[in-house]
Amino acid sequence: MVSNKYMKKYLFGILHILSTKNDTIINITDITGSETISRISSGVVATNGKDKKSNYCAMLATQKVSNVCKVLGINALHIKIRARGGNASHLISTGAHTVVTTLVRLGYKIGRIEDTTPTPTNGTRRKGGRRGRRV
């Protein structure tokens, strides 16, 4: 039998990442998903407007969110990554990958990672016209 001093209790939260081409939005909720604990954008941390999409600003935003989680005792996270979706881009930007690696380096236990990007089921027409975007 393993003694209790070696067993660690995990308090889970849900980390929602919205990753677009120009910004990364991080939102942490409780395990039910109904109560928002902390929310920040990488644009809040950025000094210039062009820095919003950088990996460095995504890392700084993650550190601010993790400070709030440490105070509340959350030490494990389920991650839901979302790209723009719909009839827009389905690509996840590099800011989302930076958020996940920063949380691992900060010592959080990662439970499950899932992609929640919305996919269209024959929705509206895509932008660009009949012959596409002409460069």
Side-chain angles (χ1 to χ4, degrees), residues 1-70:
M1 175 108 186
V2 179
S3 66
N4 282 339
K5 71 177 186 177
Y6 295 113
M7 298 179 90
K8 190 169 184 179
K9 298 285 184 186
Y10 291 114
L11 183 62
F12 274 91
I14 301 175
L15 175 77
H16 302 271
I17 305 170
L18 172 60
S19 166
T20 63
K21 186 172 68 173
N22 292 325
D23 204 357
T24 304
I25 299 170
I26 304 167
N27 186 10
I28 291 190
T29 61
D30 60 347
I31 196 65
T32 61
S34 60
E35 186 74 29
T36 298
I37 294 169
S38 178
R39 178 176 45 201
I40 194 167
S41 168
S42 62
V44 173
V45 182
T47 54
N48 298 336
K50 64 181 182 179
D51 290 339
K52 289 195 305 184
K53 58 188 165 200
S54 70
N55 294 338
Y56 179 67
C57 287
M59 182 184 71
L60 290 179
T62 307
Q63 289 174 349
K64 281 194 168 189
V65 164
S66 78
N67 290 338
V68 176
C69 288
K70 292 279 187 194

Side-chain angles (χ1 to χ4, degrees), residues 102-118:
T102 304
L103 286 169
V104 170
R105 286 182 183 160
L106 289 172
Y108 285 91
K109 170 107 167 74
I110 306 298
R112 132 178 22 110
I113 301 175
E114 61 181 285
D115 185 13
T116 58
T117 303

